[in-house]
Amino acid sequence: MDTRTAPGQEVTDREYRQIVEFLYHEAQLLDARRLTEWLALMTADIRYRVLAPTVRMLEEKEQDRAKEVTFLNEDMGTLQTRVLQLSTPAYTVAENPPSFTRRFVTNIFVTRGAGQDRFEVSSNLLLYRSKGTSLSPYLFSAERQDALQRVDGQLRLAQRTVWLDEAVLGTRNMSVFF
Amino acid sequence: MGDDQVIVVRGEDGVIRAFLNSCLHRGTQICRADGGSARRFICPYHSWTYDTQGNLLTTSFDQYYDRKDFAGLGLTSVAQLDTYRGLIFATWNPQAPPLPEYLGDMRWYLDLFFQRTPEGMTVLGPPQRWVVETNWKLPALNFGTDTQHAIRVHYGPLAIGQTSGAPSVADMMGLFAQSPQVSFPQGHGCILISNPAQYPDFFGLPSELVPLYQCTLNPQQLDFLRRMFVSVGTLFPYTSWIQPVLGVAAERPPVGFISLRTWQPLGPQKIELWSWYFAEKEASAAWKEEVLRNGIQTFAMSGIFEEDDAEVWASIVRATKGSIARRQMMDFRAGFTMPPQQNFPGPGTAYPSLFAEREQFNFLRRWKQLIAQEA
């Protein structure tokens, strides 16, 4: 899917820098648990999904959707529910006290998307999470495919699909965003 | 099955079998994928080859063996395997009672979730799988039939839910107090919470399926499903289901979904959790999608209910590791002297409040009996 060099698909340096800074800003808000501000970066019709693979042999060609496992499948309404839960002390046990998290965003490719002011963005995410005083932190590793949309001049996340790099997740819950 | 990996395979003869996923030669894992189809199982180490009935066909070096006949050699099979309503159960214990006897009267309730339409249920995709640092008995007890925890651990989603039409937390406490928990001598247990009176019949279920429920279930079973708000249960030892009616956001319709899970022990302090979602085969594709979406948003690794459960379960194992903590006795006495409910319309022994801990006690008593037998 190497559309990066296709004519007419390149973005300007300025656009690229804005998008990289959008992703960094978003990661910073999540690490700082400023979840309401993070949610404000989504479009109203946000589609937010997190998927994990199953283990299949190479010779089994059909690596199709039926064999992926969905972990999050959210829209604005359900994201609001989650943010309310995770931001209200009496509403969450998993994140009260909160996990210590650090998000590392790399390998960012941007192409012009279909439609005005729309961008297709892929990035890698390493999400470090440490729970309380337990000694082993956990690392979620993922590829993200995003669609960013400029709304009233501001970049907004319109779509995110997160592909986790693990079939059996080695941590107790997923009370974090990617 | 616990720490022992198994291959579950439908043979060319149509029979379902289960084998230890370990080669007879050096113990290598033979099947290394989560699923697929194969006519032979070929060990990746030295090519010992088995058919789908588990028989060893060739070592690939047969001429070097004194024995010329490999008949009778094969992958280690489970001692017993049987199915109920499409669910496959197996045991390594040849002395275990056959499945119908093992499930006992719990089958009557399983029908409510796994055979309530003529075609039965379908699994919505592969399971979520994740590891929780806990003992398998804790989630098994939680689903069968700890309800006290819901008020504290799930206060958040319950409080948020009431803004979109679910009963208030106070009303919920009233409902829980008067709903039955049902206990079975095999160690199984379940709870059944009826909808508040103002809710319609078959709330959260697709109306086009109601005639199918009516022609499949018996009148008493139908009555439970007609008014069902939440049912949760555990099949001893570590398989549980939940069917709640939940809406995760104000604009989403409430959906009754089924999650079935196993709390597979990986030793005493870790489990690998597998969680599947089910819908009626006859249901529309759109409904199946709603069921899956609601399921993973609530009871799943990422579920707004279960993420908090897992936090508590893990903390128990951490907090009871020490030599002092291990001497501490746990308390299961709530409602202990509560007499069983008379004239309960379903099988099993019913106790008239979900806040009692009778069934949890019964579960542990059954476990203790079996552990003592092993010794």
Side-chain angles (χ1 to χ4, degrees):
Chain A
M1 71 121 227
D2 197 359
T3 54
R4 291 190 303 281
T5 53
Q9 297 302 300
E10 306 96 334
V11 295
T12 64
D13 286 355
R14 179 179 151 79
E15 285 169 330
Y16 182 81
R17 203 198 73 205
Q18 286 177 336
I19 286 165
V20 168
E21 287 187 358
F22 177 90
L23 295 180
Y24 288 172
H25 176 55
E26 192 206 341
Q28 190 178 42
L29 290 177
L30 287 172
D31 287 340
R33 300 190 55 76
R34 289 156 62 185
L35 299 179
T36 311
E37 288 169 73
W38 174 73
L39 200 56
L41 299 179
M42 314 287 135
T43 60
D45 63 349
I46 174 77
R47 180 95 200 278
Y48 185 99
R49 296 191 307 152
V50 176
L51 305 166
T54 54
V55 180
R56 299 284 159 175
M57 302 305 280
L58 266 182
E59 59 271 29
E60 205 188 327
K61 293 279 193 291
E62 76 282 32
Q63 284 283 354
D64 62 331
R65 283 287 149 87
K67 297 196 177 117
E68 289 157 6
V69 188
T70 309
F71 280 81
L72 285 168
N73 185 4
E74 310 296 309
D75 56 24
M76 181 50 90
T78 62
L79 283 175
Q80 281 168 340
T81 295
R82 288 180 184 276
V83 166
L84 176 61
Q85 180 182 24
L86 296 174
S87 313
T88 311
Y91 285 6
T92 175
V93 179
E95 291 297 326
N96 188 16
S99 307
F100 303 107
T101 64
R102 196 62 56 196
R103 288 161 178 80
F104 301 87
V105 182
T106 66
N107 306 51
I108 301 164
F109 287 117
V110 183
T111 56
R112 212 164 283 290
Q116 186 78 19
D117 289 333
R118 199 165 173 100
F119 303 94
E120 304 293 330
V121 183
S122 69
S123 60
N124 290 354
L125 177 75
L126 197 59
L127 166 49
Y128 165 100
R129 177 170 73 153
S130 161
K131 301 284 297 178
T133 51
S134 73
L135 293 179
S136 313
Y138 189 72
L139 290 175
F140 292 98
S141 169
E143 182 194 3
R144 304 188 300 185
Q145 298 280 357
D146 297 339
L148 297 193
Q149 176 76 47
R150 227 186 266 283
V151 181
D152 300 328
Q154 301 296 312
L155 284 171
R156 293 287 176 260
L157 183 65
Q159 203 172 303
R160 168 162 293 167
T161 307
V162 180
W163 309 84
L164 294 165
D165 298 316
E166 201 169 28
V168 181
L169 291 147
T171 186
R172 65 186 76 146
N173 54 23
M174 194 181 278
S175 48
V176 290
F177 295 108
F178 298 87
Chain B
M1 295 169 67
D3 260 338
D4 289 307
Q5 295 192 344
V6 293
I7 303 171
V8 180
V9 58
R10 189 187 298 278
E12 286 157 294
D13 56 0
V15 176
I16 299 167
R17 297 180 179 83
F19 308 105
L20 194 63
N21 188 10
S22 177
C23 184
L24 292 177
H25 183 216
R26 285 293 183 276
T28 314
Q29 188 185 32
I30 295 170
C31 177
R32 294 176 299 139
D34 289 341
S37 56
R39 299 177 68 84
R40 301 280 179 265
F41 295 112
I42 303 169
C43 178
Y45 202 6
H46 308 93
S47 296
W48 281 40
T49 300
Y50 306 86
D51 67 15
T52 56
Q53 301 187 23
N55 302 308
L56 178 64
L57 298 176
T58 173
T59 66
S60 301
F61 298 90
D62 292 353
Q63 65 273 30
Y64 292 94
Y65 288 84
D66 289 339
R67 79 183 286 170
K68 294 297 164 223
D69 182 9
F70 293 90
L73 285 182
L75 294 171
T76 302
S77 174
V78 298
Q80 298 183 52
L81 183 146
D82 201 354
T83 66
Y84 188 72
R85 302 314 193 196
L87 306 173
I88 304 169
F89 295 85
T91 176
W92 301 108
N93 182 1
Q95 270 82 51
L99 184 65
E101 191 187 321
Y102 183 85
L103 294 175
D105 283 339
M106 188 57 128
R107 287 174 296 172
W108 194 91
Y109 297 95
L110 289 177
D111 292 350
L112 286 172
F113 309 103
F114 300 106
Q115 191 74 49
R116 61 195 188 192
T117 58
E119 288 186 34
M121 307 302 273
T122 186
V123 185
L124 305 175
Q128 283 194 0
R129 294 167 65 181
W130 73 105
V131 174
V132 182
E133 321 88 306
T134 193
N135 180 272
W136 63 272
K137 293 191 289 304
L138 292 164
L141 285 167
N142 177 290
F143 274 58
T145 54
D146 184 332
T147 312
Q148 292 183 14
H149 86 280
I151 301 299
R152 177 64 188 85
V153 175
H154 304 312
Y155 178 73
L158 293 180
I160 295 169
Q162 73 190 56
T163 61
S164 53
S168 70
V169 178
D171 286 347
M172 208 86 83
M173 283 200 72
L175 273 183
F176 292 176
Q178 55 189 262
S179 295
Q181 56 178 286
V182 192
S183 182
F184 303 85
Q186 295 87 347
H188 320 309
C190 66
I191 66 170
L192 300 143
I193 306 174
S194 294
N195 270 313
Q198 68 270 26
Y199 284 60
D201 284 353
F202 300 105
F203 181 60
L205 297 171
S207 55
E208 68 269 22
L209 294 180
V210 170
L212 300 180
Y213 302 148
Q214 287 164 334
C215 73
T216 311
L217 297 172
N218 73 38
Q220 289 78 25
Q221 288 173 318
L222 189 67
D223 220 38
F224 276 117
L225 189 63
R226 186 173 63 80
R227 297 303 307 162
M228 189 172 288
F229 179 40
V230 184
S231 175
V232 195
T234 290
L235 287 173
F236 187 92
Y238 57 73
T239 302
S240 299
W241 79 82
I242 180 164
Q243 178 182 307
V245 180
L246 292 169
V248 180
E251 71 280 13
R252 302 199 72 82
V255 172
F257 67 84
I258 298 172
S259 168
L260 179 78
R261 60 266 312 298
T262 59
W263 325 100
Q264 311 220 38
L266 303 177
Q269 295 182 341
K270 210 183 264 187
I271 60 168
E272 185 176 316
L273 223 160
W274 294 35
S275 175
W276 295 266
Y277 303 91
F278 287 74
E280 294 82 355
K281 280 187 187 153
E282 297 92 335
S284 67
W287 182 257
K288 286 171 183 160
E289 200 171 309
E290 279 300 296
V291 164
L292 183 58
R293 180 197 291 252
N294 267 260
I296 63 165
Q297 285 171 345
T298 54
F299 285 92
M301 184 190 183
S302 46
I304 59 174
F305 285 81
E306 195 159 358
E307 65 186 27
D308 292 327
D309 284 316
E311 197 68 29
V312 175
W313 299 336
S315 83
I316 294 171
V317 161
R318 177 65 193 91
T320 56
K321 263 183 192 163
S323 60
I324 302 299
R326 289 173 70 162
R327 290 179 218 164
Q328 188 172 293
M329 299 295 282
M330 301 293 116
D331 198 309
F332 288 85
R333 288 176 294 191
F336 192 73
T337 55
M338 183 177 278
Q341 186 172 330
Q342 299 302 311
N343 307 318
F344 184 69
T349 306
Y351 298 93
S353 168
L354 296 184
F355 296 131
E357 294 172 321
R358 276 309 298 263
E359 166 44 28
Q360 293 181 68
F361 182 85
N362 292 346
F363 175 99
L364 287 172
R365 190 169 54 185
R366 179 71 186 134
W367 170 76
K368 193 176 170 186
Q369 279 170 0
L370 292 171
I371 288 292
Q373 275 177 21
E374 288 300 307

